[in-house]
Amino acid sequence: MENKQRPVLYVHGFRGGDYTTEEMVKSGLKYTGKKEFLKVLINWRGQITYEGKWTDDECPIIQVVFKNKLISENQIAHWLIHLLIQLRKEHKFNEYDAVGHSLGAVSLVLVNLHEKRHQYMPKMNHLVTIAGPFNGVLGLNDLPNINRINPSGKPAFMSPTYFRIYLSCNNISPNLKVLNIYGNVEDHSNSDKYISVTSAKSIGYVLQPRVKEFYDMPVSGSKAEHSLMHDDSDILQKINLFIYAPYSA
């Protein structure tokens, strides 16, 4: 494996689509001065088709779109692993970066937990998680201002998904660099209207002691709404600096 490319995957979540990551992809293209990217379409059977182009620069941009919008984090992770292995066989890269919104963020953490089990998987280097429901979703398995994080960062309650990640924490890549972005619309719910700050922030308790770098990025006010963060210009700038700036350093 001699290819030094490090592709960047953009992954949406539950009820998302290409529109979810569209502005992030456009912003990444502008930042890197490119016009082309590869769109990956995965249907409800897991069949993969491609649109666009795998570019020959350092960081090809890959937009992943699932035809099934009602997809679980486990299914997203399963198909992403299959995709990464397939892309690596074709393009011979060793590492990749990823940006995930909502359930896509959770799925990418689950993908990282499988690296040690799948030796042919490329290694995740930089990860941006945006509004990740790591420890529940409001109205489902979380309620406003119920769960709390103690001074050490540990949440009082753990959802089944969070507990699974917690139990598998020794499989997390020690070389991973993480930027965790979460919102608070300041309406007394301490949430982005769908994901509580506690749920999104609680992943730090698992990742921060084990990864190479971990940064929390809280966002507040009207732009912190769950479905607005992935289009906000300030957030996009921070994502681009985190993902692409190391190439020009």
Side-chain angles (χ1 to χ4, degrees):
M1 294 291 177
E2 296 181 355
N3 191 339
K4 299 300 183 181
Q5 286 184 298
R6 188 188 293 167
V8 181
L9 271 66
Y10 291 85
V11 183
H12 67 79
F14 189 77
R15 294 195 301 182
D18 52 4
Y19 49 86
T20 304
T21 56
E22 181 178 7
E23 292 302 318
M24 291 192 285
V25 169
K26 286 181 179 178
S27 181
L29 290 170
K30 183 177 180 181
Y31 187 90
T32 56
K34 296 189 294 189
K35 294 183 179 180
E36 296 181 294
F37 67 96
L38 183 69
K39 178 184 284 190
V40 177
L41 304 170
I42 303 178
N43 71 11
W44 63 279
R45 290 183 176 178
Q47 294 173 324
I48 299 172
T49 56
Y50 299 99
E51 296 178 1
K53 179 182 178 182
W54 176 284
T55 56
D56 59 3
D57 57 288
E58 285 185 292
C59 44
I61 289 177
I62 317 297
Q63 183 187 40
V64 183
V65 181
F66 301 99
K67 296 290 187 70
N68 179 6
K69 296 180 182 296
L70 308 180
I71 189 172
S72 72
E73 69 272 22
N74 293 319
Q75 190 63 68
I76 293 176
H78 174 75
W79 285 341
L80 285 176
I81 290 169
H82 180 68
L83 171 65
L84 285 164
I85 292 173
Q86 181 170 310
L87 288 174
R88 191 185 185 201
K89 285 181 179 178
E90 185 171 351
H91 299 287
K92 314 301 182 191
F93 60 92
N94 291 320
E95 298 181 344
Y96 72 101
D97 299 332
V99 181
H101 176 258
S102 192
L103 213 59
V106 180
S107 302
L108 286 166
V109 173
L110 294 177
V111 168
N112 185 254
L113 295 176
H114 283 81
E115 281 187 6
K116 291 183 179 179
R117 304 175 193 173
H118 295 269
Q119 293 186 353
Y120 198 73
M121 275 183 63
K123 306 305 180 186
M124 186 184 294
N125 194 290
H126 290 73
L127 171 63
V128 178
T129 56
I130 308 168
F134 296 104
N135 202 13
V137 178
L138 292 182
L140 292 177
N141 44 7
D142 193 15
L143 292 170
N145 301 309
I146 296 297
N147 204 354
R148 303 286 182 178
I149 293 177
N150 70 21
S152 69
K154 184 178 181 180
F157 308 107
M158 296 185 182
S159 70
T161 297
Y162 186 91
F163 190 59
R164 174 187 169 195
I165 295 172
Y166 175 72
L167 290 178
S168 303
C169 62
N170 289 332
N171 290 324
I172 293 167
S173 170
N175 294 317
L176 188 62
K177 305 175 186 70
V178 181
L179 175 63
N180 184 39
I181 303 172
Y182 51 88
N184 187 345
V185 294
E186 300 180 324
D187 65 351
H188 305 293
S189 69
N190 287 306
S191 74
D192 64 12
K193 292 190 176 180
Y194 296 93
I195 311 302
S196 69
V197 170
T198 300
S199 178
K201 188 176 180 179
S202 61
I203 194 61
Y205 179 71
V206 179
L207 297 184
Q208 191 164 10
R210 296 170 177 86
V211 299
K212 188 172 184 179
E213 297 176 15
F214 183 91
Y215 307 98
D216 266 334
M217 180 181 162
V219 181
S220 59
S222 59
K223 67 180 181 181
E225 198 273 332
H226 187 77
S227 298
L228 296 181
M229 281 190 285
H230 53 64
D231 293 344
D232 181 77
S233 58
D234 290 336
I235 294 174
L236 295 179
Q237 182 182 33
K238 294 294 193 303
I239 294 171
N240 291 335
L241 287 172
F242 185 74
I243 293 291
Y244 299 109
Y247 295 96
S248 55

